Amino acid sequence: MNSKHLTKGSRKPSPVRRGKLRLYSNRFCPYCQRVILVLDAKRIPYEVVNINLVNKPDWMFDKSPMGKVPALELDNGEVLYESLIIADYLDDKYNAHRLHAKDPLQKAKDQLLLKQFTKIINALLKTVSLGRIEHDEAQVISEGLAIFERELTDRPGPFFGGSRPGMLDYMIWPWCERSDVLKIYGKDYILKKEKYKQLMEWRKVMVEDEAVKKSWCSANTHIKYLQSSRAGVPNYDLLI
Amino acid sequence: MNSKHLTKGSRKPSPVRRGKLRLYSNRFCPYCQRVILVLDAKRIPYEVVNINLVNKPDWMFDKSPMGKVPALELDNGEVLYESLIIADYLDDKYNAHRLHAKDPLQKAKDQLLLKQFTKIINALLKTVSLGRIEHDEAQVISEGLAIFERELTDRPGPFFGGSRPGMLDYMIWPWCERSDVLKIYGKDYILKKEKYKQLMEWRKVMVEDEAVKKSWCSANTHIKYLQSSRAGVPNYDLLI
């Protein structure tokens, strides 16, 4: 997972061996982490090829549109991209340890919540690109989290998926792992932990999950990476 | 399907009866048509409550965020929204006549194509809101359609779903039904039919499909509706 990120000029990896899966990824990309969480939670063996996103290898553009990661290469040469589509594919293909709710209504409600979470992600992206948190984004984030807080209160828990993390838990996790990064955008905006008691409990049990542990990074590491990225030289190989 | 569109002040419908489904819809909304196509293709009984989108009943805001349609109300009072989430729910819940590909890889590839189609939808939305087609949008539409044309050439056909329409066919159909509407945006831009031979053949077989027939409207009807909408007084009840 912490292999060196390949750049322009690097040698194209050999074809994927029979029965294997290869994930083109990036150590600090939250969308990539989604796929890694699904692979690890379902205990599907895979290899990782890390890609330098500011200086992509030419051959990466043959793998996915604009060389986007995550991209999952199958042993027949087909490549899937888009984190949610890959996650669904893996859950459909590898039946053991299903992550989506079995009940169609519960699954649909989880999908609506995930759609809701996209608004939080967009507010975070805007915050990172501006380098400060604006009132509107702070509001989207706190209103969005309030919905998730209520939802956790209504569910048996401790996970959204029940007694163990399900697809919704893993699909929102990468941004929740990074939530303490927000503090670098000013001391005025620190997530008020007393407003999100259930979510704070959920975070505690999530970091104990075996799949989460595998890709987890500390807030300090995320901040260090983010600072390198803001300085224009993202240090993807920070953990090597 | 052609019932009068309810407005502010209209009486709230009684709760959904046991074992029934109710779709809050709008006769000219392509997203609503997606859900209607799935319901009709799977022969699931449902009732329609049409909503006037410029003058929504107050109670509609209790049904879905901002009173959005399509919204599917179940007999337990739960309401689902977002056309693709409703479509997936119906396909999961009602197993007979599955619309999604059974093979997980094929399903994932269809999902990627559907994501691709969203770019075409956005270009169409921009065209309608500007009242003219710009070079960029024309390019997105023609490049997008070229992908679908190639895809149909590669598949056994005549539908994307094979010998009968599948989820991808129905999810893109509402905009394809309306494609001749583009001609009102200037004679310079008429879809060059010789470039899209496979898609033209596909359109011919789609209009013969029983589910498609049920909600189908002629290009003239779509144009009449669009003109009323552009004039600021959308005539939702055009077909009554």
Side-chain angles (χ1 to χ4, degrees):
Chain A
M1 191 177 308
N2 291 332
S3 63
K4 201 167 154 27
H5 290 70
L6 302 186
T7 57
K8 198 176 165 76
S10 64
R11 210 160 58 93
K12 184 178 175 171
S14 49
V16 176
R17 271 168 306 152
R18 190 134 178 222
K20 301 281 176 189
L21 284 177
R22 178 184 295 154
L23 183 68
Y24 297 95
S25 188
N26 179 285
R27 187 61 182 91
F28 291 102
C29 161
Y31 299 97
C32 296
Q33 195 183 357
R34 275 182 168 170
V35 177
I36 284 175
L37 287 165
V38 171
L39 288 161
D40 286 338
K42 294 178 74 84
R43 299 206 180 85
I44 302 166
Y46 63 101
E47 57 178 64
V48 167
V49 172
N50 276 324
I51 301 296
N52 184 311
L53 299 180
V54 290
N55 187 17
K56 291 179 185 173
D58 289 329
W59 45 259
M60 193 57 217
F61 294 86
D62 302 329
K63 301 289 182 192
S64 66
M66 300 188 298
K68 281 206 311 189
V69 295
L72 184 75
E73 189 166 17
L74 313 183
D75 64 358
N76 64 359
E78 302 246 29
V79 182
L80 296 176
Y81 48 97
E82 293 288 342
S83 62
L84 298 178
I85 292 174
I86 299 174
D88 283 353
Y89 165 75
L90 292 170
D91 206 35
D92 282 344
K93 176 79 182 177
Y94 300 86
N95 284 311
H97 193 113
R98 286 284 282 186
L99 296 176
H100 272 303
K102 280 196 193 83
D103 172 47
L105 179 57
Q106 190 58 56
K107 184 179 166 192
K109 287 160 79 175
D110 286 356
Q111 296 290 84
L112 287 173
L113 280 166
L114 189 51
K115 190 111 190 171
Q116 193 75 37
F117 196 80
T118 307
K119 291 183 197 164
I120 300 180
I121 296 176
N122 290 338
L124 292 170
L125 285 173
K126 189 155 176 203
T127 301
V128 169
S129 83
L130 287 174
R132 62 176 186 277
I133 188 149
E134 298 282 350
H135 176 75
D136 284 2
E137 279 69 48
Q139 201 166 349
V140 167
I141 293 169
S142 64
E143 283 174 9
L145 290 180
I147 291 171
F148 281 81
E149 176 74 8
R150 269 201 308 278
E151 193 65 31
L152 261 185
T153 313
D154 291 347
R155 296 191 183 203
F159 301 102
F160 287 97
S163 60
R164 63 183 196 190
M167 192 59 95
L168 181 59
D169 294 274
Y170 288 126
M171 293 304 99
I172 68 174
W173 175 252
W175 292 268
C176 300
E177 180 178 306
R178 288 157 177 78
S179 63
D180 284 334
V181 165
L182 279 175
K183 66 187 175 201
I184 69 168
Y185 296 112
K187 57 181 183 227
D188 289 343
Y189 190 79
I190 293 168
L191 285 175
K192 293 185 186 65
K193 300 199 174 177
E194 66 278 12
K195 264 181 71 181
Y196 308 113
K197 275 185 186 148
Q198 300 288 331
L199 281 168
M200 290 301 141
E201 286 304 311
W202 170 79
R203 259 177 67 133
K204 273 189 212 156
V205 286
M206 279 298 281
V207 293
E208 293 303 319
D209 176 71
E210 288 306 318
V212 168
K213 272 184 190 168
K214 283 198 173 176
S215 55
W216 182 86
C217 286
S218 70
N220 275 349
T221 300
H222 283 302
I223 289 173
K224 222 184 265 179
Y225 162 71
L226 190 59
Q227 283 167 336
S228 72
S229 173
R230 285 172 82 187
V233 280
N235 188 358
Y236 301 124
D237 293 327
L238 191 64
L239 295 173
I240 304 179
Chain B
M1 191 176 306
N2 291 331
S3 64
K4 202 168 152 28
H5 289 71
L6 301 186
T7 58
K8 198 177 167 75
S10 64
R11 210 159 59 93
K12 185 178 175 171
S14 50
V16 175
R17 273 169 303 154
R18 193 138 175 217
K20 300 281 175 188
L21 285 176
R22 178 185 294 153
L23 183 69
Y24 296 96
S25 187
N26 179 286
R27 187 61 183 93
F28 291 101
C29 162
Y31 299 96
C32 296
Q33 195 183 357
R34 275 182 168 170
V35 177
I36 284 175
L37 287 166
V38 171
L39 288 162
D40 286 339
K42 293 178 75 82
R43 299 205 180 86
I44 302 166
Y46 63 101
E47 56 179 63
V48 167
V49 172
N50 276 323
I51 301 295
N52 184 311
L53 299 179
V54 290
N55 187 18
K56 291 178 186 173
D58 289 329
W59 45 259
M60 193 57 216
F61 294 86
D62 303 329
K63 302 290 182 190
S64 67
M66 300 189 297
K68 281 206 313 189
V69 296
L72 185 74
E73 190 167 17
L74 313 182
D75 62 358
N76 63 358
E78 301 247 28
V79 182
L80 296 175
Y81 47 97
E82 292 289 343
S83 62
L84 297 178
I85 292 175
I86 300 174
D88 283 353
Y89 165 75
L90 292 169
D91 206 35
D92 282 343
K93 176 81 181 175
Y94 301 86
N95 284 311
H97 192 112
R98 288 284 282 187
L99 296 177
H100 272 303
K102 280 198 194 80
D103 172 47
L105 178 57
Q106 189 59 54
K107 183 179 166 192
K109 288 160 79 174
D110 286 356
Q111 296 290 83
L112 288 173
L113 280 166
L114 190 51
K115 190 110 191 172
Q116 192 76 39
F117 196 79
T118 307
K119 292 184 196 164
I120 300 180
I121 295 177
N122 291 338
L124 292 170
L125 284 173
K126 189 155 177 203
T127 301
V128 169
S129 83
L130 287 175
R132 63 175 186 277
I133 189 149
E134 298 281 352
H135 176 75
D136 284 1
E137 278 69 50
Q139 202 167 348
V140 167
I141 294 170
S142 64
E143 282 174 8
L145 290 180
I147 291 171
F148 281 81
E149 175 74 10
R150 269 201 307 276
E151 193 65 31
L152 261 186
T153 313
D154 291 347
R155 295 191 183 202
F159 301 102
F160 287 98
S163 59
R164 62 183 196 188
M167 192 60 95
L168 181 59
D169 294 274
Y170 289 126
M171 293 303 99
I172 66 174
W173 176 252
W175 292 268
C176 299
E177 181 179 306
R178 287 158 178 77
S179 63
D180 284 335
V181 165
L182 278 175
K183 65 186 173 201
I184 69 169
Y185 296 112
K187 59 180 183 226
D188 288 346
Y189 188 79
I190 293 168
L191 287 175
K192 293 184 187 65
K193 301 198 173 178
E194 66 278 13
K195 264 181 72 181
Y196 307 113
K197 276 188 186 146
Q198 299 287 334
L199 280 168
M200 292 299 142
E201 286 303 311
W202 170 78
R203 258 176 66 132
K204 273 189 210 156
V205 286
M206 279 298 280
V207 293
E208 293 303 319
D209 176 68
E210 288 307 318
V212 169
K213 274 184 190 169
K214 282 198 174 177
S215 55
W216 183 86
C217 287
S218 69
N220 275 348
T221 300
H222 284 302
I223 289 173
K224 224 185 261 180
Y225 162 73
L226 189 59
Q227 283 168 335
S228 73
S229 173
R230 286 171 82 186
V233 279
N235 188 0
Y236 299 125
D237 294 327
L238 191 65
L239 295 174
I240 304 178

